[in-house]
Amino acid sequence: MAESIDHKCKYRDDSSGLWNRICTWWLLPLHIAFVAAFTIVLFAFDGHLVAIDGTIRYGRLSQSEVNIFISIGLTIIRLVAGGWLATLGWKMAFIVLEKRETNLAELDRLITWKMPLLARYQAERSSLRNKLKVRGGIKRNQETSSRHSYKQTTLLLWSICFMSIPPQIVAPLAFGSIIWIPHGERRPSNVQVPVTTPGPGDNWDWFGLYSRNRAFTVYQASALAFPVSSSSRANSSSPQNPRRSILTILGTAGNASLANVTVPLFSIHALEWLMNPDQLGDDEAIVHQAILNPHWGMLNISSPGNPFYIWNATGLGAITIINTQPWERGSSIATPGEPSNSTAHDAWPDPSIVSGPRIVAVMTDHNNVKKPEFLSCGERPSPIFGSTQVVTPWLFPAADQFTSPKSCYALARVNFTAGVATCKDCPIVSNGLVEADTSIQDQDFLNPRADPLVETSVSMMPEVMIFTSTTNSTFLPTWNNLEFYTRASLSVGYQASWNAVANGIRAESPLLTTTMSPIASVLSFGVNRPRLSLWAALQSLLIVSGIMLAFLQTGCDGKSVRNPVISAFLLDTRRLIERDTRGLCNASALKKGDGKIRLKLDVSRRNPDSNYRHPKLLVESDEDESELTEQRERLIRRIDDV
């Protein structure tokens, strides 16, 4: 079939200029812009609170709505990427047809599945485009070979195809970077609740007058050891969160907080284990008294006996802080105008803070005198603490050398400060218990304040610590954990003592009140930043592949495909139709034998005044090399005649 000369093509310049380039590649910058916007929005939203579906929203987005917006964003990004990928196969197909011959089967895989061709390193079979030179008005470069070798072209095509895969499949990675963290948020409220308030009165008088009242308070403190130690089981290096037991809020729902609550605060500044007697210094005498004297009264508040001595035979793990001054009852003060023996009350203590170094003793082991091979402390692991290599247990003989064992004690010097602090927005963590999270309270919270109950609570600590440790009511871990056990026992002993005194010695004046606010369950929106950054990086591979494709396009004479419909419908395929002997004219699918016909695209630039500018699909065949030569010579003669 001869080329028609009656058809005249009007020259259209729609590939040069900035606007035409934008129209050709606009999907790539739009895609990367959407990816950047999506990533920035998620990073900016990180940490915001989101309402749980089915709860009161208080003007916030719900979890399902956030998921919808994320899905919309990912869908838009996927649509833009899909629009680019729809034309990517056609762009690569026209580049391949111009740079090297290929067959229909390879073109089908390239356009449909974005599967690039295998490299062919042999010499170029067809050099039609290399011989098509315009001699005349348009100056041509004498070197007309392809700007890119077969190998380089094929490697670039493979890279482009592989880089186009991740943006299509990494959407789950973006969704997987979203983290939903349960969170509690305080809601404004005007509900006032009373708070157990200690103060002077009959309860304080009876506490000082009767030892059984003080003993009962010690028992109450021992019972409170477990509730107040629940937050003290993490690590010895982390501060212990103070807890307050409030009888007036028993039965209150846990999802609430109190505006202002006084809580006991015990701060340990240093804990030094004593490895030799020289480190005891002036404290050596009181240590011997605390361990060996059954009548030493510095370690009790309820009776004249020495509770640490009572348990030194069987109380493995018993721990106490050794006070240097005994507890003393306050002086009586009569009401003005009344007889001193009728309305006299014990003086309410002045607010104070107790601080300074004290000795702490921990019983680690004991051995019977009938087994002298076990008399050296530290030669075997402690039955309750395991290895105690970090400390040197001290051996103290008992008063009765024939019936009592010799016991081993680990001694330490603790530097502490005991006082109180004000917990703001203090959450109710259990029935009748509030807890101050030291990590979110203001800086002033960690500076203890003076309180009237501090001295009494510190005086109770030795007896309370002995009872709670021997009965293991705190459930604090001990094995290979002597440091943490000691720190936690000190904090728990003070908190339990202060809470027991505060609840037992209630003031006769009206109770103080505070605002109780409900805590709504919400979700904190979190982002796994490394994972989302990886998703954005994989999405950016699409624009990298576009840059590589543009680089390939610069080595082509033909225009880049902007509209596959126009490029395919206006392609001159007459030579393929003329060579068809297998029924391709009305075929709907390719068969195995169709791949023998190889094709190449002729897009030689011509004078804009030429009548025919359709890209021509040239046919090459292994079986008919002579016809290929004739076509080549005929085309060259026509160009020479121009």
Side-chain angles (χ1 to χ4, degrees):
M1 182 182 295
E3 186 179 288
S4 174
I5 61 174
D6 295 332
H7 172 67
K8 295 182 179 181
C9 293
K10 183 179 179 180
Y11 178 73
R12 178 185 295 182
D13 184 10
D14 57 359
S15 61
S16 62
L18 179 60
W19 176 249
N20 287 323
R21 291 188 177 92
I22 292 176
C23 292
T24 302
W25 306 96
W26 67 278
L27 284 173
L28 289 176
L30 182 64
H31 173 265
I32 199 65
F34 278 143
V35 170
F38 182 85
T39 305
I40 293 173
V41 169
L42 288 191
F43 281 163
F45 201 66
D46 188 11
H48 281 64
L49 298 181
V50 176
I52 300 175
D53 290 285
T55 62
I56 301 176
R57 299 174 53 170
Y58 293 98
R60 287 195 172 92
L61 292 174
S62 66
Q63 182 184 15
S64 60
E65 290 172 340
V66 174
N67 287 332
I68 289 174
F69 288 131
I70 294 175
S71 299
I72 291 175
L74 292 175
T75 302
I76 292 175
I77 293 173
R78 180 66 181 85
L79 288 175
V80 175
W84 167 255
L85 294 171
T87 62
L88 178 62
W90 287 96
K91 291 178 185 291
M92 292 191 297
F94 273 71
I95 291 174
V96 168
L97 282 170
E98 183 178 348
K99 288 180 173 298
R100 50 171 288 186
E101 73 277 3
T102 185
N103 57 50
L104 290 176
E106 289 180 328
L107 287 176
D108 177 57
R109 291 195 299 270
L110 184 61
I111 295 174
T112 305
W113 304 107
K114 312 299 184 293
M115 294 178 61
L117 316 179
L118 297 176
R120 296 175 182 170
Y121 303 110
Q122 67 268 27
E124 188 175 358
R125 293 181 54 92
S126 174
S127 59
L128 290 177
R129 189 179 63 83
N130 297 336
K131 295 184 180 294
L132 296 178
K133 302 178 181 179
V134 178
R135 301 177 183 176
I138 302 178
K139 183 178 180 180
R140 300 285 294 169
N141 192 327
Q142 297 300 318
E143 180 59 46
T144 57
S145 61
S146 176
R147 298 184 190 177
H148 309 290
S149 66
Y150 281 157
K151 182 178 180 180
Q152 184 180 16
T153 300
T154 304
L155 289 176
L156 286 175
L157 289 173
W158 273 100
S159 300
I160 291 170
C161 292
F162 276 122
M163 288 184 181
S164 65
I165 294 175
Q168 304 177 67
I169 61 176
V170 294
L173 190 63
F175 247 118
S177 65
I178 306 304
I179 305 171
W180 299 105
I181 305 172
H183 189 76
E185 183 186 31
R186 177 177 171 269
R187 300 297 185 189
S189 173
N190 294 323
V191 178
Q192 298 292 315
V193 294
V195 177
T196 307
T197 307
D202 291 340
N203 292 317
W204 175 244
D205 295 342
W206 296 334
F207 179 85
L209 184 62
Y210 302 109
S211 62
R212 62 178 180 269
N213 287 58
R214 296 192 296 276
F216 182 75
T217 305
V218 171
Y219 302 151
Q220 283 185 319
S222 301
L224 286 172
F226 175 73
V228 300
S229 66
S230 298
S231 62
S232 306
R233 303 177 181 179
N235 190 290
S236 61
S237 60
S238 60
Q240 309 302 318
N241 290 337
R243 285 191 167 191
R244 168 81 183 271
S245 171
I246 304 177
L247 301 179
T248 52
I249 63 171
L250 286 171
T252 304
N255 56 341
S257 66
L258 302 184
N260 292 282
V261 177
T262 299
V263 295
L265 185 61
F266 191 87
S267 299
I268 298 177
H269 310 301
L271 183 69
E272 176 191 9
W273 294 101
L274 306 180
M275 310 299 288
N276 56 73
D278 295 338
Q279 292 179 278
L280 274 176
D282 297 338
D283 295 325
E284 184 175 1
I286 63 170
V287 169
H288 282 78
Q289 290 292 327
I291 294 176
L292 302 177
N293 187 351
H295 305 292
W296 202 60
M298 302 292 182
L299 304 184
N300 64 77
I301 193 174
S302 62
S303 63
N306 183 353
F308 201 54
Y309 177 86
I310 296 174
W311 293 102
N312 70 357
T314 58
L316 283 180
I319 181 174
T320 190
I321 185 172
I322 301 176
N323 287 330
T324 57
Q325 297 291 333
W327 178 83
E328 294 182 356
R329 178 189 174 191
S331 59
S332 297
I333 301 177
T335 302
E338 299 290 339
S340 59
N341 60 351
S342 60
T343 59
H345 291 287
D346 287 357
W348 185 243
D350 295 328
S352 62
I353 293 178
V354 176
S355 60
R358 300 284 172 90
I359 299 297
V360 179
V362 187
M363 180 183 290
T364 60
D365 200 358
H366 57 247
N367 302 288
N368 197 290
V369 294
K370 297 179 181 180
K371 297 180 179 180
E373 65 272 16
F374 293 138
L375 291 182
S376 297
C377 294
E379 290 187 356
R380 65 173 184 176
S382 167
I384 188 170
F385 293 108
S387 175
T388 55
Q389 295 179 357
V390 295
V391 300
T392 301
W394 296 36
L395 180 67
F396 284 87
D400 187 349
Q401 296 291 325
F402 299 100
T403 60
S404 300
K406 293 185 176 182
S407 300
C408 301
Y409 297 86
L411 302 179
R413 180 175 284 108
V414 59
N415 192 358
F416 70 94
T417 300
V420 296
T422 300
C423 176
K424 298 178 181 179
D425 296 331
C426 214
I428 301 175
V429 296
S430 184
N431 189 21
L433 282 174
V434 296
E435 179 177 320
D437 189 348
T438 56
S439 63
I440 62 175
Q441 295 291 325
D442 54 37
Q443 188 63 32
D444 293 338
F445 178 85
L446 298 178
N447 299 321
R449 296 187 292 103
D451 184 77
L453 302 183
V454 171
E455 288 190 358
T456 301
S457 301
V458 173
S459 297
M460 284 179 57
M461 281 182 63
E463 199 168 0
V464 172
M465 291 175 64
I466 294 170
F467 277 118
T468 57
S469 59
T470 53
T471 59
N472 196 26
S473 59
T474 60
F475 288 93
L476 294 172
T478 60
W479 191 255
N480 292 335
N481 206 24
L482 179 61
E483 174 86 9
F484 166 67
Y485 177 80
T486 303
R487 288 176 176 269
S489 295
L490 289 167
S491 178
V492 169
Y494 176 73
Q495 291 187 58
S497 300
W498 191 93
N499 277 287
V501 176
N503 287 335
I505 306 176
R506 292 184 294 274
E508 296 179 353
S509 57
L511 300 181
L512 299 178
T513 61
T514 188
T515 303
M516 183 175 68
S517 303
I519 298 179
S521 296
V522 294
L523 294 174
S524 178
F525 179 86
V527 177
N528 187 316
R529 291 177 177 262
R531 191 176 299 170
L532 187 61
S533 299
L534 176 61
W535 170 84
L538 293 175
Q539 287 287 346
S540 65
L541 291 178
L542 198 64
I543 196 169
V544 177
S545 68
I547 294 174
M548 297 172 67
L549 186 67
F551 174 70
L552 277 177
Q553 187 67 49
T554 60
C556 298
D557 291 332
K559 299 178 180 179
S560 178
V561 175
R562 286 172 56 179
N563 190 320
V565 176
I566 294 178
S567 299
F569 283 5
L570 300 183
L571 185 65
D572 186 350
T573 61
R574 288 178 298 169
R575 289 158 183 79
L576 177 60
I577 296 173
E578 291 173 356
R579 296 293 303 278
D580 175 33
T581 60
R582 300 179 55 83
L584 289 174
C585 296
N586 61 349
S588 60
L590 293 177
K591 293 184 178 180
K592 184 176 182 181
D594 298 335
K596 294 182 178 180
I597 302 176
R598 284 193 293 274
L599 307 172
K600 191 169 181 63
L601 194 64
D602 176 19
V603 288
S604 300
R605 294 178 180 175
R606 299 186 180 186
N607 193 298
D609 295 333
S610 299
N611 294 329
Y612 196 81
R613 300 191 59 85
H614 290 267
K616 296 192 293 280
L617 198 61
L618 305 181
V619 179
E620 298 176 318
S621 175
D622 289 332
E623 293 80 14
D624 196 355
E625 193 70 35
S626 61
E627 183 178 349
L628 175 62
T629 303
E630 292 176 2
Q631 290 182 1
R632 182 184 302 113
E633 292 175 352
R634 185 168 60 249
L635 290 171
I636 293 174
R637 285 196 302 269
R638 291 194 58 196
I639 293 175
D640 293 338
D641 295 339
V642 175

